[in-house]
Amino acid sequence: MVDRFFQHLNKFVEVTEEEFQEITNYVEVITLRKKECIMSAGKICDANYFVLSGCLHMFFTDEKGVEKTLQFAIENWWLSDAQALYHQKETEFNIQAIEASEVLVIKANKEKELLERFPKLEVYFRSIYQIAYGAALKRMQYIFSFSKEEIFFRFRDEFPEFVNRVPQYLIATFLGLTPEYLSKLRAK
């Protein structure tokens, strides 16, 4: 399964088999059960997570006790609270497995060592963060530009892998909809 990470790295930078074997010394692979949390609000964010298999979501709980999904991550996606990780602060977010998942974990201190040992991975992570930033901007554009109905249909058309894997209520919170309204849209 870690071969997935090797292939992903090589989409952005050239990493030899020998280098990759050394890189694996800086990471850990863990298995999560469905609904298991890997990061919890109020705790120091000390790791970055790469999905080898499965699906995760990052969320917070609002003042009414309602969970609001901020991000999803499926195979080959990274997920973490980048600000809290960078500053080694408490996160306000949770990361939970939507389905049984296998996740590569790189702790903040190990990531620093890894980047010192393999400076070319700075290019890799910069590319990943640029893609994530672009996706966040696109989501904001959708929120400001489209009706709730248009947002759902665009999301469905651009990301069918999520619509087929993620429970409807989580998609609803991600898109700022109620589950009931989303159910009506899906029926159309």
Side-chain angles (χ1 to χ4, degrees):
M1 195 57 77
V2 179
D3 289 342
R4 180 181 298 271
F5 182 51
F6 177 69
Q7 293 166 357
H8 194 262
L9 282 171
N10 276 289
K11 287 182 180 179
F12 299 92
V13 294
E14 189 176 322
V15 176
T16 67
E17 292 275 350
E18 295 77 28
E19 289 171 324
F20 185 70
Q21 289 307 312
E22 190 174 340
I23 289 168
T24 60
N25 294 326
Y26 294 87
V27 300
E28 170 187 4
V29 176
I30 62 170
T31 301
L32 299 173
R33 295 178 314 277
K34 181 178 180 176
K35 296 198 176 233
E36 186 175 354
C37 279
I38 194 170
M39 185 177 86
S40 300
K43 306 268 176 150
I44 299 294
C45 179
D46 68 345
N48 210 345
Y49 308 99
F50 180 82
V51 180
L52 294 166
S53 68
C55 184
L56 309 176
H57 77 119
M58 180 188 291
F59 67 95
F60 69 96
T61 305
D62 71 12
E63 65 281 348
K64 295 178 183 174
V66 177
E67 289 183 6
K68 305 286 185 169
T69 297
L70 298 171
Q71 292 181 307
F72 294 109
I74 57 174
E75 291 81 7
N76 295 333
W77 289 33
W78 285 94
L79 191 60
S80 190
D81 178 350
Q83 286 292 332
L85 181 63
Y86 178 78
H87 294 291
Q88 288 292 276
K89 303 254 184 205
E90 289 181 6
T91 182
E92 297 177 25
F93 309 116
N94 303 285
I95 296 177
Q96 181 182 52
I98 294 172
E99 57 192 38
S101 302
E102 193 169 34
V103 178
L104 183 143
V105 180
I106 183 165
K107 297 286 188 176
N109 61 330
K110 291 290 188 179
E111 185 173 328
K112 185 177 179 188
E113 290 174 23
L114 177 67
L115 296 176
E116 288 170 2
R117 174 68 183 96
F118 297 98
K120 64 180 155 184
L121 293 184
E122 292 272 2
V123 173
Y124 169 76
F125 282 106
R126 185 185 71 234
S127 299
I128 297 305
Y129 282 119
Q130 286 173 333
I131 291 167
Y133 181 67
L137 289 177
K138 181 64 91 177
R139 182 172 180 223
M140 293 304 297
Q141 179 189 28
Y142 279 21
I143 290 168
F144 290 125
S145 301
F146 303 116
S147 70
K148 298 289 187 185
E149 186 172 329
E150 288 173 311
I151 289 171
F152 169 70
F153 289 120
R154 285 175 180 268
F155 180 79
R156 180 200 62 193
D157 294 345
E158 289 185 36
F159 303 102
E161 64 274 19
F162 288 108
V163 176
N164 296 327
R165 289 175 75 175
V166 174
Q168 183 171 304
Y169 76 95
L170 291 178
I171 292 173
T173 69
F174 178 72
L175 298 175
L177 309 172
T178 64
E180 297 78 20
Y181 183 68
L182 182 57
S183 183
K184 288 177 187 174
L185 289 177
R186 289 184 75 153
K188 283 188 175 185

